[in-house]
Amino acid sequence: MNSLDLDDCFQTALDLAKEAGLIISEAFKKAKKVEEKTSPRDLVTETDKLIEDQVISKLQELYPNHKFIGEESTAAGIKCELTNDPTWIIDPVDGTLNFVHSFPYTCISIALWVDKKPCLGVVYNPVLQQLYTARKNAGAFLNGERIRVSGKEDLSRSLVVMEMGYRPDEKKMEVVHRNAKKLIERCHGTRALGSAALDMCLVAEGAAEVYWENGLHAWDMAASVLLITEAGGVVLDITGGPHDLMNRRVLCAASPQLAQQMVQLLEVYDEDRD
Ligand code: LIP
């Protein structure tokens, strides 16, 4: 019974996010020990590792039968697998490059998925004091205030959030550039925060209408996809099919009409699944 006591799990996620927030705030303006992972732009700091270790060890203590997917555990070689079991999906510092630059869009993202579906999600940016929370069938909130997508349907009147992250692959960069050109020519404006989790929160709170990315990971989006659907938005695969958390891409929109306009426009390239 205890393992699926979602009130208890939600309170635990909130407590752990706030504890992690104190660690991020404490280190935010200080010099950081930085290591490169897959490229000079894919970084990890001691803060990412410290927070993930703390969060996962606490969750393992409280919920020994649950499963875990974490960005740094996966980078350290632990198998990244989503089963029907209760699974905590953690990005200790989303927007690590921002964190390294003390650019104030960095957050912790904690989600609980059961039967491969999101039950609860918490995204906390301690620098700007933004606490986003969502529970299945219970709505989405920012600092306790209910949030909703804008509902806009016209791309020419929409803000599109899109990360133009560098890919060390010419073919992929050509797709990125083609997609960017089509969108810049058709939408009201483009934006990017450098954190997928916070980019998606902008759509959930109605500050932007679309977010899409090809190449992100499960831990970047596991909490924010629930924030968007609980805020009345749409979450799909970029091809228009159902969203698959493990296939490294997502399309989020303020309305089904807007999502379909995006599906018609976007080219997709395949990445290795998580
Ligand atoms: C980042 C994502 C961002 C993506 C970056 C990176 P990290 O996550 O939030 O959307 O463009 O490549 O994946 O590494 O800061 O947790």
Side-chain angles (χ1 to χ4, degrees):
M1 178 54 204
N2 190 29
S3 63
L4 285 182
D5 178 342
L6 289 175
D7 292 341
D8 180 60
C9 292
F10 183 64
Q11 191 53 53
T12 300
L14 277 180
D15 298 344
L16 292 173
K18 289 179 181 159
E19 284 168 26
L22 293 174
I23 298 171
I24 292 173
S25 301
E26 174 58 30
F28 190 67
K29 289 284 185 194
K30 294 190 176 141
K32 298 152 182 108
K33 198 159 132 279
V34 183
E35 294 162 36
E36 284 185 17
K37 291 199 288 188
T38 59
S39 81
R41 296 175 182 84
D42 182 16
L43 308 176
V44 61
T45 71
E46 72 255 329
T47 303
D48 299 63
K49 294 178 181 174
L50 170 66
I51 289 174
E52 183 159 323
D53 291 349
Q54 279 192 2
V55 168
I56 291 185
S57 51
K58 187 70 182 176
L59 290 171
Q60 278 169 335
E61 189 190 309
L62 292 169
Y63 314 111
N65 308 324
H66 290 190
K67 300 281 187 320
F68 305 93
I69 294 175
E71 175 168 7
E72 305 319 329
S73 315
T74 305
I78 292 177
K79 195 163 183 306
C80 176
E81 189 188 13
L82 183 63
T83 66
N84 290 333
D85 293 332
T87 304
W88 293 88
I89 306 172
I90 297 129
D91 190 338
V93 179
D94 188 45
T96 299
L97 193 59
N98 291 350
F99 178 66
V100 169
H101 287 268
S102 303
F103 182 77
Y105 292 94
T106 189
C107 64
I108 178 165
S109 173
I110 301 175
L112 177 61
W113 285 49
V114 179
D115 296 330
K116 298 182 180 171
K117 294 192 177 53
C119 297
L120 63 91
V122 174
V123 173
Y124 181 41
N125 175 352
V127 182
L128 299 179
Q129 288 298 310
Q130 299 170 313
L131 177 63
Y132 297 91
T133 59
R135 293 185 61 174
K136 186 69 184 161
N137 302 327
F141 299 81
L142 167 55
N143 296 337
E145 299 289 321
R146 188 83 185 244
I147 54 176
R148 287 187 174 72
V149 294
S150 71
K152 283 203 178 78
E153 302 179 352
D154 176 359
L155 184 56
S156 70
R157 285 286 166 270
S158 294
L159 281 184
V160 172
V161 183
M162 53 188 196
E163 297 290 343
M164 294 289 105
Y166 171 74
R167 305 281 187 275
D169 175 311
E170 201 38 48
K171 279 264 158 286
K172 290 180 181 173
M173 284 315 291
E174 284 165 13
V175 173
V176 168
H177 294 152
R178 283 198 293 271
N179 282 333
K181 182 175 183 303
K182 282 186 267 182
L183 282 164
I184 290 165
E185 289 166 353
R186 289 171 177 77
C187 72
H188 219 191
T190 62
R191 301 288 182 271
L193 296 180
S195 155
L198 291 172
D199 286 334
M200 296 168 80
C201 289
L202 289 174
V203 175
E205 65 179 294
E209 276 66 44
V210 171
Y211 165 76
W212 67 278
E213 187 158 1
N214 200 158
L216 75 174
H217 292 277
W219 43 82
D220 295 319
M221 53 182 155
S224 292
V225 288
L226 183 64
L227 275 158
I228 289 179
T229 51
E230 286 298 320
V234 177
V235 175
L236 296 173
D237 182 76
I238 296 178
T239 59
H243 177 239
D244 171 350
L245 185 71
M246 308 308 275
N247 83 344
R248 307 282 308 278
R249 54 186 194 230
V250 69
L251 166 62
C252 313
S255 66
Q257 296 81 354
L258 210 39
Q260 284 321 310
Q261 290 167 61
M262 291 295 294
V263 168
Q264 303 311 320
L265 276 176
L266 291 173
E267 266 182 80
V268 176
Y269 57 76
D270 287 325
E271 294 269 16
D272 303 338
R273 288 177 66 80
D274 273 332

